[in-house]
Amino acid sequence: MNRFKDSEHLIRVAAVFLVGVTLFLCFRAWFVPKSFGQYGHYRADSITEIAALPVVHAGHETCEACHADVLEVKKAGKHAGVNCEACHGPQAKHAEDPGSVKPVLPDTSVLCARCHEANSAKPKWFPAVVTGEHSQGLPCNTCHTPHSPHIGDK
Amino acid sequence: MNRRFFITLTGAAAIAWEHVLAGAPESSPNYKIADHWWAMLIDVDKCIGCGNCVRACAAENNVPEGFFRTWIERYQVDDEHMMEPIVDSPDGGKHGFPAHPAGGSLTGANFKEFFVPKLCNHCVDSPCTQVCPVGATFTTPDGVVLVDEKYCLGCRYCVQACPYGCRFIHPEKNVAQKCTLCYHRITKGLTTACCEACPTGSRQLADLRNPKDPIHDFMKKHSVQVLKPQMATGAKAFYANLDGSVR
């Protein structure tokens, strides 16, 4: 009946193993964030963190809520498809606090050329000029109104 | 410190730590992550190389100077150089393009040139997420590839894995960064900063899970490609009117 005489060795090993596994599970529960594995092998909370970053461009719907008059002019002209912040730059701060944050009016002699300066790589349908010949350095809004740039009827 | 106090303290610390780990910031309440599958549609014929998208992206996402989450390339191709087109992108096209590439232009037969905007392709089977050793980069349930900056070690595996060169290491934070498809905007019902600033509508944000999205109609009526289809990345930046020489 001395067959299980040395069973204490096994029990000790099992106990040590059990303690090890318990410690591992405890540490894992402690260190791995709750949301890790919710969607996959990553921290799902980081999605919410990235989604909560501040918006810098307000979006044209926000602009149009106040500047309906500009929208009317723009809708009738060639720049109907160009959003406000394409030219005026990011304006979320202005949209949040229109009283104290005033946008700087862009300089048309620089601004318009960004799109309308002639370049052979531009698509053929796009209206472009060599500004040096076309306006001799005059700001574009001397003749054109940027919100509806076509001169003359239509 | 007696035993009772110590045990109380440990319990309180454990509860506090839960909150540290959870760290749940304010999310978008009306956004259902399962209802969207984001992509981008780029019409090469409409790109005028103005650089508006690059500037808007830099402003929106605080992209460090000299690095790009989106950029524009100018391609020059002729009959002799179908496999080796001239590609230039001075400062990512942020300030537009000079009349000719710095290295000179091609002059051969059937010469053509055009602009190609580039950004993260938000691949379905993205090589970059597969190589991340710590689970810091992943595809969200709505199809956007993001980087968890708290988990990123800055090991650069993903930078090398991306076949499109869309990732970089932030010089100060030392973490991988890339286009988030303006995840903080699209979850609030806005479009991306680059689409908002694009004057010709060359870029369109698309939601493939929305049956009313105009992309479905567009894809039926136009020839649409992705970059490097042979890599089977499941790229979701769809290019219309793309020249065969673009890599």
Side-chain angles (χ1 to χ4, degrees):
Chain A
M1 285 309 286
N2 285 342
R3 216 166 152 194
F4 297 108
K5 193 178 69 179
D6 299 329
S7 63
E8 200 181 331
H9 297 296
L10 294 175
I11 292 167
R12 278 187 191 178
V13 168
V16 168
F17 186 74
L18 206 69
V19 168
V21 167
T22 316
L23 277 178
F24 169 75
L25 289 175
C26 288
F27 278 120
R28 200 175 71 154
W30 184 268
F31 285 115
V32 176
K34 268 267 151 57
S35 69
F36 199 96
Q38 187 185 334
Y39 295 126
H41 188 71
Y42 60 91
R43 203 168 56 92
D45 278 346
S46 74
I47 300 181
T48 0
E49 285 168 26
I50 292 167
L53 289 172
V55 165
V56 179
H57 289 75
H60 62 101
E61 291 94 345
T62 310
C63 307
E64 287 157 12
C66 296
H67 301 283
D69 51 329
V70 182
L71 178 66
E72 285 305 309
V73 178
K74 212 160 69 70
K75 250 184 1 194
K78 286 261 187 191
H79 280 166
V82 182
N83 291 333
C84 314
E85 285 160 314
C87 299
H88 292 278
Q91 298 297 350
K93 283 198 176 127
H94 167 65
E96 273 164 31
D97 187 3
S100 50
V101 184
K102 295 283 179 197
V104 183
L105 211 58
D107 176 5
T108 55
S109 54
V110 179
L111 175 82
C112 304
R114 278 183 184 154
C115 292
H116 292 287
E117 185 73 63
N119 187 311
S120 50
K122 282 184 182 173
K124 301 289 166 280
W125 60 266
F126 187 75
V129 293
V130 178
T131 46
E133 294 168 10
H134 180 81
S135 59
Q136 284 93 33
L138 278 176
C140 309
N141 61 358
T142 315
C143 305
H144 300 272
T145 54
H147 288 146
S148 180
H150 192 83
I151 297 175
D153 301 334
K154 192 192 177 277
Chain B
M1 188 188 287
N2 59 22
R3 189 187 292 174
R4 176 175 291 178
F5 182 68
F6 178 75
I7 289 169
T8 320
L9 201 69
T10 321
I15 291 164
W17 185 243
E18 290 282 284
H19 282 272
V20 172
L21 290 181
E26 201 183 322
S27 59
S28 317
N30 299 321
Y31 184 76
K32 289 206 178 63
I33 204 161
D35 290 353
H36 305 274
W37 190 248
W38 296 108
M40 189 164 282
L41 186 60
I42 295 158
D43 192 341
V44 176
D45 273 359
K46 285 187 181 168
C47 182
I48 57 169
C50 63
N52 259 11
C53 50
V54 187
R55 287 192 300 277
C57 175
E60 182 74 40
N61 299 298
N62 208 4
V63 181
E65 192 63 37
F67 295 89
F68 305 96
R69 293 190 184 191
T70 183
W71 68 98
I72 310 167
E73 291 173 358
R74 168 169 57 187
Y75 272 72
Q76 289 199 339
V77 202
D78 63 18
D79 279 354
E80 289 161 38
H81 299 88
M82 270 310 287
M83 300 308 285
E84 312 82 37
I86 289 186
V87 185
D88 73 326
S89 183
D91 205 10
K94 197 176 189 176
H95 308 289
F97 286 77
H100 302 286
S105 290
L106 292 176
T107 48
N110 289 324
F111 170 79
K112 70 182 219 173
E113 53 182 339
F114 48 87
F115 298 110
V116 184
K118 296 244 177 120
L119 74 161
C120 170
N121 289 255
H122 295 281
C123 308
V124 181
D125 301 309
S126 43
C128 58
T129 62
Q130 290 171 39
V131 297
C132 181
V134 295
T137 184
F138 49 87
T139 311
T140 61
D142 45 357
V144 180
V145 177
L146 295 177
V147 178
D148 181 352
E149 291 192 359
K150 287 186 186 161
Y151 258 47
C152 179
L153 305 166
C155 75
R156 292 157 171 80
Y157 278 18
C158 58
V159 179
Q160 294 202 32
C162 175
Y164 307 101
C166 295
R167 288 171 169 256
F168 61 89
I169 296 289
H170 191 285
E172 280 144 32
K173 295 180 181 173
N174 206 31
V175 294
Q177 282 202 340
K178 62 179 285 298
C179 161
T180 62
L181 209 64
C182 281
Y183 199 73
H184 61 296
R185 297 176 60 84
I186 61 177
T187 50
K188 296 184 181 91
L190 296 163
T191 187
T192 65
C194 56
C195 291
E196 183 70 34
C198 179
T200 62
S202 174
R203 290 164 173 260
Q204 300 285 336
L205 177 72
D207 183 359
L208 297 173
R209 228 165 248 170
N210 176 5
K212 287 181 186 152
D213 197 291
I215 190 176
H216 302 295
D217 192 48
F218 188 93
M219 292 243 243
K220 271 178 221 152
K221 292 176 181 159
H222 294 77
S223 139
V224 175
Q225 297 176 54
V226 294
L227 298 177
K228 300 188 183 173
Q230 74 277 13
M231 307 220 43
T233 55
K236 286 200 271 90
F238 298 104
Y239 286 84
N241 304 307
L242 190 71
D243 187 87
S245 63
V246 177
R247 294 163 299 196

